[in-house]
Amino acid sequence: MVYAATATAPVNIACIKYWGKRDTKLILPTNSSLSVTLDQDHLRSTTTSRADESFEKGDRLWLNGKEEVVKPDGRLGVCITELRNWRSIEEEKDSSLPKLSQWPLRIASYNNFPTAAGLASSASGLAALVASLARLYQLPQTPSQLSLIARQGSGSACRSLFGGFVAWREGVKSDGSDSLAEEVAPQSHWPDMHAVICVVSDAKKGTSSTSGMQRTVETSTLLQERLRIVPGRMEAISTAIKEKNFEEFASITMKDSNSFHSVCLDTSPPIFYLNDVSKSIIAVIEELNRSSGKIIAAYTFDAGPNAVIYALKENIPKVLGAINRFFPTSEEPRDPFGIAAQDLPEGFDLKVVREGGWEKGAVKTLIHTRVGDGPRTLSKEESLLNDKGEPKVLAKA
Amino acid sequence: MVYAATATAPVNIACIKYWGKRDTKLILPTNSSLSVTLDQDHLRSTTTSRADESFEKGDRLWLNGKEEVVKPDGRLGVCITELRNWRSIEEEKDSSLPKLSQWPLRIASYNNFPTAAGLASSASGLAALVASLARLYQLPQTPSQLSLIARQGSGSACRSLFGGFVAWREGVKSDGSDSLAEEVAPQSHWPDMHAVICVVSDAKKGTSSTSGMQRTVETSTLLQERLRIVPGRMEAISTAIKEKNFEEFASITMKDSNSFHSVCLDTSPPIFYLNDVSKSIIAVIEELNRSSGKIIAAYTFDAGPNAVIYALKENIPKVLGAINRFFPTSEEPRDPFGIAAQDLPEGFDLKVVREGGWEKGAVKTLIHTRVGDGPRTLSKEESLLNDKGEPKVLAKA
């Protein structure tokens, strides 16, 4: 009997940003956050977990075909230990269960998008790990309960355990037991929510979010004010989502992205994630909204220069048109939904972008996707591990 | 008898930034600010004012040789009217005085630095206008009283009526009568305070400060917190100046610049003045300080991409060395103080700037100057007006 499970988990992109921990060990945030889960048909992490009595002692894990050391007190190790503990509780309750909790694990995880794309792969990766182990161990916990574990692997990973629109409640307890993710609305509530990711070239690797956010907590004079503002935004954007009020959703999303980057800049030394291309994308979207007479698109930026532009499906042609016009990509765009770009609105002021737009490749590639569902379980045939419990595909040395 | 006066006034660069008006007509700020006056030997505006009964009716004014219309309710018009009123008060007190207040004016003003340099020429220009008219009218008012007038011409112009280190007190009165500039310390107190201005190329003209700051007042959620922080910074930097504590002076200067640009970014739509070159200059100065083991230089940025780097004279070689290393200027640098650049400190991490530094001309030119004195009166020989009351030099059409 082979005990294995394969799961996929989605990427999520926050509209209300997580920036700052009140507990760095348990990963408890200084504020609640809210994200849109993106479609796994386009972007996903896949993880296979297998437990076997016959494996050599000790857990082993491969990320994108490259073995990683699992430190017991590291973030991956903590997640595995917690899920194993939950399994052992089940085994104690029901002695007929195989003692999977005592067996060595073999885990392989793979992202279908290059790490170089600068998309947060740790969120989908940790969520896929938790989802596959929860499945392997047949755990009875709800996704919100599982999110407590994923959170400790990588904060925003907790939000990737749900589809649709997801809140991570900051919680008040010091043990973190109420700092969990929950669904605000499912994918099916607002399926027309689309997203265009602009992958922006950057010459220099920026400050890691882990170290950056703690520097902000320690030195920013404006962060406390941001923390007072966020609860109102959480309320307002949740209402906007429930009412499918795109203009309100977009307005809050843009404001909160700018507020997050403001407190980064207010850090000592300052942290910059937006570069001149990012700023130009902002100018184009602001002008697209202005010249359209209403807000039809919202930009948001995580800890890097890539833009994610949210827009309803009906307005995607305009978004693609505006982006293509000023940021010609090096790759020929192939839209997965077969949507064609549309000309700029009349009255669009071309002068918002530097003369002639940007050189080819300033935006490397566009990824057009949409709101998606939560983790999925795959069949045995899709396992990333071979019969011996080794990855089917190893990274090239 | 010719009644004329020529005065020069300096540029000032704020360490605590002015951003936001509580009264846009009177130009009353939302917070106090503090600046260093720069040496007029390097950067100055010069203004000649002449009153003559025989001139054709109506005031005329030329800026850099180009005639400007003086609207009575415009900023220039308001300054001229107020100073004229003060003159007429003197004329009423002493009937032997010529009735200059009733005579038409001819005014010529000239900046010795190109407007394209992106240095705030309105501050020095308005201060020179006020200084020359006050001289022409033989006004008894103090520089602080004159600063009330200059403030209405261009807010930060009020600080250019003093040398050294200058505070603009926000005031509390609704008529603005206590929103004035005063000296914190004279030039002679800390003459080793030097400044290196990095003139940064920018493809695109940014948001004007007049419209930008009001957008911040109307839309930023973080500005109110900044306003609560500034008074403490004003206190602390004044103490640092009095004690000649450069590290403290520099630390506050950098924090306040970043705080100002943070609230710009937190504006809807966001305002960006720093470009990728500006950010690179910040990274170089932060690394120069880190690798020097103490803060030896402070960057600050106004409403544009140009950096002003404050440093004590003894550390200017290191500042020039670091800037020259990564930002080769298109012009051969000629230091007015004969100071040579010095190599980077050991342990300076070259990776803070993109590989190989920036292309020639990303920083167009460096202007090395230092703290300077307040407005000066020039001799008749240096008048900008000819015998007929017309500019000696007209701008090319």
Side-chain angles (χ1 to χ4, degrees):
Chain A
M1 180 73 186
V2 171
Y3 294 96
T6 300
T8 64
V11 167
N12 73 76
I13 301 288
C15 298
I16 306 291
K17 301 296 187 188
Y18 154 51
W19 195 252
K21 298 182 181 80
R22 63 176 208 272
D23 183 317
T24 54
K25 178 88 188 88
L26 290 171
I27 311 194
L28 303 179
T30 51
N31 63 270
S32 297
S33 53
L34 186 144
S35 55
V36 177
T37 294
L38 301 184
D39 195 334
Q40 290 165 83
D41 288 351
H42 307 128
L43 300 169
R44 65 180 168 276
S45 295
T46 307
T47 302
T48 299
S49 301
R50 183 174 158 193
D52 202 309
E53 212 172 354
S54 70
F55 285 155
E56 203 174 315
K57 217 182 145 191
D59 301 329
R60 295 181 70 184
L61 181 145
W62 292 263
L63 284 179
N64 294 318
K66 188 172 168 291
E67 183 157 12
E68 304 278 328
V69 179
V70 181
K71 294 182 201 144
D73 58 346
R75 290 182 170 192
L76 286 168
V78 165
C79 288
I80 293 171
T81 302
E82 296 261 0
L83 294 167
R84 212 175 226 140
N85 287 344
W86 282 355
R87 168 68 186 185
S88 67
I89 290 167
E90 299 307 310
E91 291 168 4
E92 279 168 34
K93 283 194 265 184
D94 178 354
S95 60
S96 75
L97 290 175
K99 300 284 179 289
L100 300 190
S101 70
Q102 298 173 20
W103 299 351
L105 286 165
R106 295 296 179 265
I107 301 168
S109 190
Y110 172 79
N111 303 319
N112 79 331
F113 51 91
T115 309
L119 297 164
S121 54
S122 61
S124 53
L126 260 298
L129 173 80
V130 169
S132 82
L133 278 171
R135 180 80 183 181
L136 168 68
Y137 288 156
Q138 298 287 319
L139 297 179
Q141 276 80 7
T142 64
S144 275
Q145 289 171 308
L146 292 175
S147 79
L148 295 167
I149 308 297
R151 190 201 73 221
Q152 296 175 62
S154 171
S156 54
C158 71
R159 296 187 310 242
S160 277
L161 286 172
F162 290 88
F165 303 82
V166 187
W168 172 11
R169 308 296 176 192
E170 58 185 298
V172 293
K173 295 186 185 164
S174 60
D175 67 354
S177 58
D178 57 353
S179 186
L180 45 73
E182 53 189 37
E183 184 187 277
V184 171
Q187 172 197 23
S188 58
H189 168 71
W190 207 359
D192 282 349
M193 179 64 76
H194 278 228
V196 175
I197 304 171
C198 306
V199 179
V200 172
S201 283
D202 205 22
K204 228 185 115 296
K205 178 90 183 83
T207 310
S208 87
S209 59
T210 300
S211 70
M213 66 172 71
Q214 283 324 99
R215 223 161 76 206
T216 300
V217 168
E218 286 155 22
T219 66
S220 169
T221 56
L222 300 176
L223 177 66
Q224 292 307 315
E225 184 65 12
R226 169 168 164 73
L227 299 184
R228 283 188 283 272
I229 292 163
V230 165
R233 284 199 183 134
M234 285 291 294
E235 276 287 313
I237 200 169
S238 298
T239 303
I241 290 164
K242 281 168 187 158
E243 295 173 350
K244 295 195 254 190
N245 178 344
F246 184 82
E247 287 206 70
E248 178 75 359
F249 168 86
S251 168
I252 299 169
T253 294
M254 292 186 282
K255 279 198 178 79
D256 199 71
S257 175
N258 292 332
S259 161
F260 152 50
H261 292 282
S262 293
V263 299
C264 289
L265 207 166
D266 186 56
T267 299
S268 296
I271 303 167
F272 296 98
Y273 290 120
L274 306 177
N275 66 18
D276 285 352
V277 178
S278 314
K279 285 154 46 183
S280 231
I281 294 172
I282 290 177
V284 165
I285 297 301
E286 292 279 3
E287 180 59 16
L288 180 65
N289 287 334
R290 195 201 59 75
S291 60
S292 299
K294 63 175 183 172
I295 303 179
I296 62 165
Y299 53 79
T300 185
F301 295 82
D302 281 348
N306 293 341
V308 176
I309 302 165
Y310 287 116
L312 296 180
K313 186 179 182 186
E314 67 199 59
N315 291 316
I316 287 291
K318 283 187 181 167
V319 170
L320 293 176
I323 296 296
N324 290 340
R325 171 74 176 69
F326 298 105
F327 309 95
T329 53
S330 23
E331 300 166 22
E332 196 59 38
R334 271 179 309 159
D335 191 84
F337 302 91
I339 293 178
Q342 191 176 304
D343 282 350
L344 294 174
E346 269 186 62
F348 188 107
D349 178 4
L350 295 175
K351 290 198 298 294
V352 299
V353 184
R354 62 186 207 172
E355 198 116 23
W358 284 81
E359 69 279 3
K360 208 171 214 183
V363 168
K364 281 189 282 190
T365 184
L366 295 183
I367 301 170
H368 175 190
T369 181
R370 63 179 164 191
V371 60
D373 57 354
R376 301 174 185 169
T377 304
L378 301 190
S379 68
K380 279 178 201 157
E381 286 66 40
E382 290 170 284
S383 172
L384 300 177
L385 294 170
N386 65 19
D387 292 346
K388 297 181 197 161
E390 292 159 351
K392 287 180 180 169
V393 180
L394 280 169
K396 287 175 193 119
Chain B
M1 179 74 186
V2 171
Y3 294 97
T6 300
T8 64
V11 167
N12 74 76
I13 300 289
C15 299
I16 305 291
K17 301 296 188 191
Y18 154 52
W19 196 251
K21 299 182 180 80
R22 63 175 207 273
D23 184 316
T24 53
K25 178 89 187 89
L26 291 171
I27 310 195
L28 303 178
T30 51
N31 63 270
S32 296
S33 54
L34 187 144
S35 56
V36 178
T37 294
L38 301 183
D39 195 334
Q40 289 164 85
D41 287 351
H42 307 128
L43 300 169
R44 65 180 168 276
S45 295
T46 307
T47 302
T48 299
S49 301
R50 185 175 158 193
D52 203 308
E53 214 173 351
S54 71
F55 285 154
E56 202 173 319
K57 216 182 147 193
D59 302 329
R60 295 181 69 185
L61 181 145
W62 293 264
L63 284 180
N64 294 318
K66 187 172 169 289
E67 184 158 12
E68 305 277 329
V69 179
V70 182
K71 294 182 201 144
D73 57 346
R75 291 182 170 191
L76 286 167
V78 166
C79 287
I80 293 169
T81 302
E82 295 262 359
L83 294 166
R84 214 174 223 142
N85 289 343
W86 283 356
R87 168 69 185 184
S88 67
I89 291 167
E90 299 307 310
E91 291 168 4
E92 280 169 31
K93 283 194 265 186
D94 177 353
S95 61
S96 74
L97 290 175
K99 300 285 178 289
L100 302 190
S101 70
Q102 299 172 20
W103 299 351
L105 286 165
R106 297 294 180 268
I107 300 168
S109 191
Y110 172 79
N111 304 318
N112 79 333
F113 49 93
T115 308
L119 296 163
S121 54
S122 62
S124 53
L126 260 298
L129 174 80
V130 169
S132 83
L133 279 171
R135 181 80 182 181
L136 169 68
Y137 288 154
Q138 299 286 320
L139 297 179
Q141 275 80 5
T142 63
S144 274
Q145 289 172 306
L146 292 175
S147 78
L148 295 168
I149 308 297
R151 189 201 75 222
Q152 295 174 65
S154 170
S156 55
C158 70
R159 296 188 310 242
S160 277
L161 286 171
F162 290 89
F165 302 82
V166 187
W168 172 10
R169 308 296 176 193
E170 58 185 298
V172 293
K173 295 186 185 165
S174 60
D175 67 355
S177 58
D178 57 352
S179 185
L180 46 72
E182 53 189 36
E183 184 188 275
V184 171
Q187 172 196 24
S188 58
H189 168 70
W190 208 1
D192 283 349
M193 179 63 77
H194 279 228
V196 176
I197 304 171
C198 305
V199 179
V200 172
S201 284
D202 206 22
K204 227 184 117 295
K205 179 88 183 85
T207 310
S208 88
S209 60
T210 299
S211 70
M213 66 173 71
Q214 283 325 99
R215 222 160 77 205
T216 299
V217 168
E218 286 156 21
T219 65
S220 169
T221 56
L222 299 175
L223 178 66
Q224 292 307 316
E225 184 65 13
R226 168 167 165 73
L227 299 183
R228 283 187 283 271
I229 292 162
V230 165
R233 284 198 183 134
M234 285 292 294
E235 276 287 312
I237 200 168
S238 298
T239 304
I241 289 164
K242 282 168 187 158
E243 295 174 350
K244 294 195 255 190
N245 178 345
F246 183 82
E247 288 205 71
E248 178 74 0
F249 167 87
S251 167
I252 297 168
T253 294
M254 292 186 282
K255 279 198 180 79
D256 200 70
S257 175
N258 292 331
S259 160
F260 152 49
H261 292 281
S262 293
V263 298
C264 289
L265 207 167
D266 186 56
T267 299
S268 296
I271 302 166
F272 297 99
Y273 290 119
L274 307 177
N275 66 18
D276 285 352
V277 178
S278 315
K279 285 154 46 181
S280 232
I281 293 172
I282 290 178
V284 165
I285 297 302
E286 292 279 1
E287 180 60 15
L288 181 64
N289 288 334
R290 195 202 58 76
S291 60
S292 298
K294 62 175 182 173
I295 302 179
I296 63 166
Y299 53 79
T300 187
F301 295 81
D302 281 348
N306 293 341
V308 177
I309 301 166
Y310 286 117
L312 295 180
K313 187 180 181 186
E314 67 198 61
N315 291 316
I316 288 292
K318 283 186 182 168
V319 171
L320 293 177
I323 296 297
N324 290 340
R325 171 75 175 69
F326 297 106
F327 308 95
T329 53
S330 25
E331 300 167 20
E332 197 59 37
R334 271 178 310 159
D335 192 83
F337 302 91
I339 293 178
Q342 192 175 303
D343 283 350
L344 293 175
E346 270 185 60
F348 187 107
D349 178 4
L350 296 174
K351 291 198 298 293
V352 298
V353 185
R354 63 185 207 171
E355 199 116 23
W358 284 80
E359 69 281 2
K360 209 172 214 182
V363 169
K364 280 189 282 191
T365 183
L366 295 183
I367 301 170
H368 177 189
T369 183
R370 61 180 165 192
V371 61
D373 58 354
R376 301 173 185 169
T377 304
L378 301 189
S379 68
K380 280 178 201 158
E381 286 66 39
E382 292 169 285
S383 173
L384 300 178
L385 294 169
N386 63 21
D387 293 346
K388 298 182 197 160
E390 293 159 350
K392 289 181 179 168
V393 181
L394 281 169
K396 288 174 193 120

Tab-separated table of all heavy atoms in Angstrom, chain B residues 162-195:
chain	number	residue	atom	x	y	z
B	162	PHE	N	16.932	84.840	5.053
B	162	PHE	CA	17.965	84.697	6.081
B	162	PHE	C	19.091	83.827	5.564
B	162	PHE	O	18.877	82.946	4.732
B	162	PHE	CB	17.393	84.016	7.335
B	162	PHE	CG	16.434	84.859	8.105
B	162	PHE	CD1	15.079	84.837	7.806
B	162	PHE	CD2	16.881	85.676	9.140
B	162	PHE	CE1	14.185	85.623	8.520
B	162	PHE	CE2	15.994	86.464	9.855
B	162	PHE	CZ	14.643	86.434	9.546
B	163	GLY	N	20.263	84.052	6.102
B	163	GLY	CA	21.364	83.129	5.875
B	163	GLY	C	21.345	82.040	6.927
B	163	GLY	O	20.515	82.041	7.831
B	164	GLY	N	22.279	81.105	6.798
B	164	GLY	CA	22.455	80.085	7.828
B	164	GLY	C	21.355	79.046	7.841
B	164	GLY	O	20.962	78.515	6.801
B	165	PHE	N	20.824	78.810	9.037
B	165	PHE	CA	19.839	77.756	9.266
B	165	PHE	C	18.530	78.435	9.665
B	165	PHE	O	18.505	79.214	10.615
B	165	PHE	CB	20.349	76.815	10.358
B	165	PHE	CG	21.682	76.209	10.003
B	165	PHE	CD1	22.875	76.923	10.212
B	165	PHE	CD2	21.770	74.956	9.407
B	165	PHE	CE1	24.105	76.386	9.852
B	165	PHE	CE2	23.003	74.417	9.045
B	165	PHE	CZ	24.174	75.136	9.263
B	166	VAL	N	17.481	78.168	8.929
B	166	VAL	CA	16.290	79.013	8.995
B	166	VAL	C	15.024	78.189	9.213
B	166	VAL	O	14.800	77.196	8.525
B	166	VAL	CB	16.132	79.810	7.677
B	166	VAL	CG1	14.994	80.814	7.792
B	166	VAL	CG2	17.437	80.482	7.293
B	167	ALA	N	14.216	78.612	10.182
B	167	ALA	CA	12.930	77.959	10.412
B	167	ALA	C	11.807	78.820	9.865
B	167	ALA	O	11.836	80.042	9.978
B	167	ALA	CB	12.718	77.738	11.909
B	168	TRP	N	10.840	78.175	9.261
B	168	TRP	CA	9.588	78.833	8.900
B	168	TRP	C	8.540	78.310	9.878
B	168	TRP	O	8.185	77.132	9.833
B	168	TRP	CB	9.224	78.502	7.456
B	168	TRP	CG	7.867	78.960	6.986
B	168	TRP	CD1	6.990	79.797	7.622
B	168	TRP	CD2	7.211	78.581	5.761
B	168	TRP	NE1	5.852	79.968	6.883
B	168	TRP	CE2	5.950	79.242	5.733
B	168	TRP	CE3	7.574	77.767	4.681
B	168	TRP	CZ2	5.053	79.081	4.671
B	168	TRP	CZ3	6.685	77.608	3.616
B	168	TRP	CH2	5.441	78.266	3.617
B	169	ARG	N	8.120	79.173	10.798
B	169	ARG	CA	7.138	78.770	11.805
B	169	ARG	C	5.764	78.756	11.160
B	169	ARG	O	5.352	79.754	10.557
B	169	ARG	CB	7.140	79.743	12.980
B	169	ARG	CG	8.494	80.001	13.597
B	169	ARG	CD	9.087	78.769	14.224
B	169	ARG	NE	10.442	79.038	14.721
B	169	ARG	CZ	11.290	78.093	15.098
B	169	ARG	NH1	10.958	76.808	15.008
B	169	ARG	NH2	12.497	78.423	15.539
B	170	GLU	N	5.053	77.650	11.328
B	170	GLU	CA	3.743	77.539	10.676
B	170	GLU	C	2.768	78.610	11.169
B	170	GLU	O	1.973	79.107	10.392
B	170	GLU	CB	3.157	76.146	10.883
B	170	GLU	CG	2.997	75.740	12.348
B	170	GLU	CD	2.521	74.294	12.486
B	170	GLU	OE1	1.434	73.983	12.024
B	170	GLU	OE2	3.264	73.506	13.072
B	171	GLY	N	2.871	78.961	12.465
B	171	GLY	CA	1.961	79.955	13.017
B	171	GLY	C	0.590	79.370	13.304
B	171	GLY	O	0.288	78.243	12.889
B	172	VAL	N	-0.212	80.138	14.037
B	172	VAL	CA	-1.557	79.661	14.370
B	172	VAL	C	-2.648	80.637	13.911
B	172	VAL	O	-3.806	80.268	13.790
B	172	VAL	CB	-1.716	79.433	15.903
B	172	VAL	CG1	-0.831	78.278	16.374
B	172	VAL	CG2	-1.389	80.704	16.683
B	173	LYS	N	-2.255	81.881	13.631
B	173	LYS	CA	-3.264	82.893	13.303
B	173	LYS	C	-3.809	82.721	11.889
B	173	LYS	O	-3.068	82.366	10.972
B	173	LYS	CB	-2.669	84.293	13.443
B	173	LYS	CG	-2.283	84.606	14.894
B	173	LYS	CD	-1.843	86.041	15.056
B	173	LYS	CE	-1.338	86.303	16.475
B	173	LYS	NZ	-0.586	87.568	16.554
B	174	SER	N	-5.080	83.022	11.735
B	174	SER	CA	-5.705	82.806	10.429
B	174	SER	C	-5.305	83.885	9.425
B	174	SER	O	-5.410	83.675	8.219
B	174	SER	CB	-7.228	82.742	10.563
B	174	SER	OG	-7.698	83.959	11.097
B	175	ASP	N	-4.820	85.037	9.911
B	175	ASP	CA	-4.375	86.060	8.954
B	175	ASP	C	-2.909	85.849	8.541
B	175	ASP	O	-2.376	86.608	7.740
B	175	ASP	CB	-4.572	87.473	9.525
B	175	ASP	CG	-3.654	87.746	10.713
B	175	ASP	OD1	-2.937	86.809	11.159
B	175	ASP	OD2	-3.640	88.890	11.191
B	176	GLY	N	-2.288	84.832	9.101
B	176	GLY	CA	-0.924	84.488	8.683
B	176	GLY	C	0.155	85.358	9.295
B	176	GLY	O	1.344	85.200	8.970
B	177	SER	N	-0.208	86.258	10.217
B	177	SER	CA	0.772	87.237	10.700
B	177	SER	C	1.868	86.616	11.572
B	177	SER	O	2.863	87.267	11.873
B	177	SER	CB	0.064	88.364	11.453
B	177	SER	OG	-0.668	87.832	12.540
B	178	ASP	N	1.688	85.335	11.965
B	178	ASP	CA	2.764	84.675	12.715
B	178	ASP	C	3.377	83.512	11.938
B	178	ASP	O	4.118	82.709	12.496
B	178	ASP	CB	2.256	84.215	14.089
B	178	ASP	CG	1.055	83.272	13.970
B	178	ASP	OD1	0.523	83.107	12.841
B	178	ASP	OD2	0.655	82.710	14.991
B	179	SER	N	3.077	83.443	10.658
B	179	SER	CA	3.669	82.391	9.827
B	179	SER	C	4.865	82.991	9.094
B	179	SER	O	4.772	83.429	7.945
B	179	SER	CB	2.632	81.858	8.839
B	179	SER	OG	3.163	80.761	8.122
B	180	LEU	N	5.992	83.005	9.784
B	180	LEU	CA	7.147	83.745	9.280
B	180	LEU	C	8.446	82.968	9.475
B	180	LEU	O	8.480	81.941	10.165
B	180	LEU	CB	7.229	85.100	9.993
B	180	LEU	CG	7.055	85.131	11.517
B	180	LEU	CD1	8.238	84.549	12.254
B	180	LEU	CD2	6.825	86.575	11.958
B	181	ALA	N	9.486	83.476	8.848
B	181	ALA	CA	10.787	82.818	8.939
B	181	ALA	C	11.633	83.471	10.015
B	181	ALA	O	11.506	84.678	10.269
B	181	ALA	CB	11.499	82.906	7.591
B	182	GLU	N	12.476	82.673	10.657
B	182	GLU	CA	13.441	83.242	11.593
B	182	GLU	C	14.701	82.403	11.598
B	182	GLU	O	14.697	81.225	11.254
B	182	GLU	CB	12.835	83.385	12.997
B	182	GLU	CG	12.232	82.136	13.562
B	182	GLU	CD	11.458	82.393	14.868
B	182	GLU	OE1	10.823	83.451	15.006
B	182	GLU	OE2	11.506	81.514	15.736
B	183	GLU	N	15.770	83.064	12.011
B	183	GLU	CA	17.071	82.392	12.005
B	183	GLU	C	17.175	81.428	13.184
B	183	GLU	O	16.869	81.794	14.305
B	183	GLU	CB	18.166	83.458	12.108
B	183	GLU	CG	19.562	82.901	12.020
B	183	GLU	CD	20.584	84.001	12.332
B	183	GLU	OE1	20.932	84.739	11.405
B	183	GLU	OE2	20.996	84.100	13.504
B	184	VAL	N	17.626	80.208	12.903
B	184	VAL	CA	17.909	79.246	13.972
B	184	VAL	C	19.374	79.377	14.380
B	184	VAL	O	19.707	79.352	15.557
B	184	VAL	CB	17.596	77.807	13.502
B	184	VAL	CG1	18.076	76.774	14.505
B	184	VAL	CG2	16.087	77.662	13.249
B	185	ALA	N	20.227	79.551	13.377
B	185	ALA	CA	21.660	79.789	13.625
B	185	ALA	C	22.220	80.448	12.377
B	185	ALA	O	21.790	80.138	11.263
B	185	ALA	CB	22.393	78.483	13.907
B	186	PRO	N	23.171	81.380	12.554
B	186	PRO	CA	23.706	82.053	11.369
B	186	PRO	C	24.727	81.165	10.642
B	186	PRO	O	25.213	80.166	11.190
B	186	PRO	CB	24.391	83.285	11.949
B	186	PRO	CG	24.790	82.869	13.330
B	186	PRO	CD	23.746	81.898	13.804
B	187	GLN	N	25.031	81.562	9.450
B	187	GLN	CA	26.059	80.877	8.645
B	187	GLN	C	27.343	80.672	9.427
B	187	GLN	O	27.965	79.603	9.387
B	187	GLN	CB	26.334	81.747	7.407
B	187	GLN	CG	27.509	81.306	6.555
B	187	GLN	CD	27.949	82.427	5.601
B	187	GLN	OE1	27.704	83.617	5.861
B	187	GLN	NE2	28.580	82.043	4.508
B	188	SER	N	27.740	81.708	10.175
B	188	SER	CA	29.025	81.674	10.883
B	188	SER	C	29.063	80.626	12.000
B	188	SER	O	30.113	80.218	12.449
B	188	SER	CB	29.312	83.047	11.496
B	188	SER	OG	28.246	83.394	12.376
B	189	HIS	N	27.883	80.175	12.410
B	189	HIS	CA	27.822	79.184	13.489
B	189	HIS	C	28.390	77.846	13.057
B	189	HIS	O	29.002	77.124	13.834
B	189	HIS	CB	26.364	79.020	13.934
B	189	HIS	CG	26.122	77.846	14.839
B	189	HIS	ND1	26.588	77.803	16.139
B	189	HIS	CD2	25.484	76.654	14.633
B	189	HIS	CE1	26.228	76.654	16.707
B	189	HIS	NE2	25.570	75.944	15.806
B	190	TRP	N	28.172	77.487	11.791
B	190	TRP	CA	28.553	76.148	11.317
B	190	TRP	C	28.953	76.234	9.842
B	190	TRP	O	28.332	75.617	8.990
B	190	TRP	CB	27.376	75.178	11.490
B	190	TRP	CG	27.757	73.748	11.672
B	190	TRP	CD1	28.997	73.200	11.717
B	190	TRP	CD2	26.830	72.646	11.828
B	190	TRP	NE1	28.926	71.851	11.914
B	190	TRP	CE2	27.609	71.480	11.994
B	190	TRP	CE3	25.437	72.525	11.878
B	190	TRP	CZ2	27.037	70.212	12.188
B	190	TRP	CZ3	24.877	71.270	12.064
B	190	TRP	CH2	25.656	70.130	12.214
B	191	PRO	N	30.035	77.002	9.579
B	191	PRO	CA	30.395	77.261	8.171
B	191	PRO	C	30.877	76.019	7.423
B	191	PRO	O	30.935	76.030	6.197
B	191	PRO	CB	31.519	78.308	8.281
B	191	PRO	CG	32.064	78.147	9.659
B	191	PRO	CD	30.933	77.674	10.516
B	192	ASP	N	31.211	74.962	8.169
B	192	ASP	CA	31.675	73.737	7.501
B	192	ASP	C	30.543	72.908	6.915
B	192	ASP	O	30.794	71.825	6.356
B	192	ASP	CB	32.469	72.875	8.481
B	192	ASP	CG	33.868	73.434	8.691
B	192	ASP	OD1	34.267	74.342	7.932
B	192	ASP	OD2	34.556	72.966	9.620
B	193	MET	N	29.326	73.381	7.069
B	193	MET	CA	28.204	72.647	6.476
B	193	MET	C	28.226	72.855	4.960
B	193	MET	O	27.976	73.955	4.460
B	193	MET	CB	26.871	73.147	7.053
B	193	MET	CG	25.645	72.447	6.471
B	193	MET	SD	25.579	70.686	6.823
B	193	MET	CE	25.039	70.736	8.553
B	194	HIS	N	28.581	71.797	4.235
B	194	HIS	CA	28.648	71.865	2.769
B	194	HIS	C	27.490	71.084	2.164
B	194	HIS	O	26.827	70.305	2.855
B	194	HIS	CB	29.985	71.300	2.276
B	194	HIS	CG	31.105	72.298	2.370
B	194	HIS	ND1	31.974	72.555	1.343
B	194	HIS	CD2	31.495	73.102	3.403
B	194	HIS	CE1	32.856	73.471	1.710
B	194	HIS	NE2	32.602	73.817	2.963
B	195	ALA	N	27.278	71.326	0.879
B	195	ALA	CA	26.198	70.635	0.162
B	195	ALA	C	26.664	70.305	-1.247
B	195	ALA	O	27.351	71.116	-1.888
B	195	ALA	CB	24.944	71.513	0.110
